[in-house]
Amino acid sequence: MTPALEPLRRIAAYAVATDPHGRVLLVRASARSGTPGVWSLPGGAVDHGEDPNHTVVRETAAETGLSVTVTGLRDVLADMRSLPHRGVTIHTDRLVYEVSVRGGNLIDRVGQPTDMARWHTLEEAQELRLRPFTAAALGLPAASADLRPEEVPDFPSFYAYPGPDGLHRAQRFAAYAIATDPQDRLLLTRVAPGYPGEGCWHLPGGGTDYGEQPGTALIRELVEETGQQGRLVELLGVASHRDAASLGPEGYPIDWHGVRAFYRVAVDAPTEVAVKDVGGSTSEARWMALAEVAALPADRLTEVTAEALRAAGLL
C-alpha cells in the first residue's frame, strides 16, 4: 500500500534537444533522487514568477553544461508520482519545449539530483529506464519507473502560501480554449465582479484539478462555464504572467503567478450558452463574430486572451 503522503503541486519545463546525428539529450537521476538510475529530459521546476522559457534554458544549463535556446513548444502534460522518501505525492504540470544547442560541454555532477548527461539515439533511449513523461514526449514505449498514488489526493483548486516577504504567493497552472463554431464565431466569457480583470472578456477555461490532464480539464471547464461540448484540435502555446499584488475575492493581496496553456477547440454543434458554474469567476459567456472581437478595446480583453488570440492569428 502507498503510505499517506502530503500532496504537492508544481510546474516544470523540459528540453528536447537533438544533435546533428539525431540523438536526443537525456540526464540520469542520481542516488539523491527518488528514482536513481532513471533517465529523463533535462529540465526542472518553474520558480515563482519565472517564465517557463527561462526555466528550461536555466535548468538545461545546470544539468548538462549546455546553453540552449527555445525554438518551439512540443507538448504539455501532467502526471502524479509518490515519493515516500520525501513524504510527498507530487502532481507536476510539464511543459516540453524544442530547443537548439548554442554551445557548451557536457558535464557530470556530484551530489545533485541528476549526475550525468548523455546523447542517445532513440533506439538506445528505448532500452533505458525512462521517466514516463520522457518516453511520452519522445514517442517511445516505457514501463513506468514512478510510484503512483492509489487514489487522487484531496488538494484545493486554489492554494496560497506565505512568501519570504510575508506576502502570500500562489502559482497556478490552467488551460484555456480558443473555441470556434462552424460560423467562425469565437466563444468568450466575462470575468465576474470581485475577480482580477473583472468585466473583461476572457477565454473559457481555468485551473486544472490535481491529477487531471490539461486537455481533459479544458473540456470540463468549457461545459461548466458555457454549456458547450468541444473537441481539442491543437496546442497553440503557453503564456506566463505574474501579478505581484493581485486582489481577488480572498480580500488580501496575493503575489500571483499564472502559467496557462491555450488550445484551439472546435465546437461542432453550438448550443445556447449557459454559465453552469454560478457564483464563480464567470458572470457571462457569449459567441462573438471575429470582427466584433477585433473591435473590442484593448483594455476589455484579459492579457492571456489577447496573447492567445495573437498567437492564433485572430488579432
Side-chain angles (χ1 to χ4, degrees):
M1 296 288 288
T2 302
L5 303 173
E6 179 188 0
L8 300 175
R9 282 195 73 159
R10 69 171 189 165
I11 303 170
Y14 298 88
V16 176
T18 54
D19 70 1
H21 306 290
R23 298 178 300 176
V24 65
L25 183 62
L26 297 174
V27 295
R28 188 181 69 178
S30 73
R32 283 195 57 190
S33 75
T35 51
V38 176
W39 294 80
S40 70
L41 297 172
V46 177
D47 289 340
H48 185 82
E50 185 179 35
D51 190 302
N53 283 272
H54 299 160
T55 305
V56 71
V57 172
R58 172 179 58 77
E59 285 283 343
T60 300
E63 292 187 341
T64 72
L66 300 181
S67 174
V68 301
T69 185
V70 173
T71 58
L73 179 66
R74 188 181 185 111
D75 202 1
V76 178
L77 43 87
D79 58 56
M80 288 187 298
R81 64 172 177 149
S82 295
L83 302 174
H85 69 291
R86 290 175 52 187
V88 299
T89 287
I90 301 179
H91 167 112
T92 306
D93 297 292
R94 304 184 190 274
L95 316 178
V96 182
Y97 291 91
E98 301 273 3
V99 305
S100 62
V101 177
R102 297 185 291 189
N105 296 291
L106 290 183
I107 59 172
D108 292 342
R109 307 200 300 170
V110 177
Q112 299 296 322
T114 61
D115 60 8
M116 182 185 294
R118 293 291 186 270
W119 294 100
H120 294 278
T121 66
L122 290 181
E123 291 76 17
E124 291 169 344
Q126 190 168 336
E127 300 302 316
L128 299 173
R129 292 177 64 209
L130 298 176
R131 292 291 308 282
F133 81 91
T134 296
L138 299 178
L140 297 176
S144 177
D146 291 348
L147 177 64
R148 290 178 53 84
E150 290 146 0
E151 295 182 359
V152 177
D154 289 331
F155 195 83
S157 59
F158 172 80
Y159 178 71
Y161 61 94
D165 54 4
L167 189 66
H168 276 74
R169 287 182 167 185
Q171 187 183 61
R172 192 183 194 196
F173 180 83
Y176 290 94
I178 296 180
T180 54
D181 70 359
Q183 287 74 50
D184 283 333
R185 296 180 301 172
L186 182 69
L187 184 61
L188 291 178
T189 62
R190 195 189 290 270
V191 180
Y195 287 85
E198 65 175 82
C200 290
W201 290 102
H202 194 41
L203 296 176
T208 64
D209 288 341
Y210 198 101
E212 192 173 36
Q213 292 293 332
T216 303
L218 181 54
I219 297 305
R220 170 184 58 77
E221 286 278 347
L222 194 65
V223 172
E224 292 176 0
E225 290 190 344
T226 71
Q228 307 301 296
Q229 295 285 346
R231 59 180 173 86
L232 293 178
V233 176
E234 62 178 326
L235 173 66
L236 292 173
V238 169
S240 176
H241 174 66
R242 180 183 186 182
D243 184 339
S246 176
L247 192 60
E250 300 79 20
Y252 54 87
I254 294 174
D255 184 351
W256 177 272
H257 180 208
V259 177
R260 296 111 166 193
F262 46 92
Y263 295 78
R264 192 183 301 277
V265 172
V267 178
D268 299 312
T271 60
E272 182 177 352
V273 175
V275 178
K276 297 190 176 184
D277 186 17
V278 178
S281 60
T282 298
S283 62
E284 179 185 356
R286 184 192 305 174
W287 286 105
M288 290 190 189
L290 293 179
E292 183 181 359
V293 177
L296 289 172
D299 62 356
R300 291 295 85 198
L301 290 174
T302 62
E303 182 182 52
V304 67
T305 300
E307 183 173 344
L309 293 179
R310 283 193 295 269
L314 298 179
L315 270 187

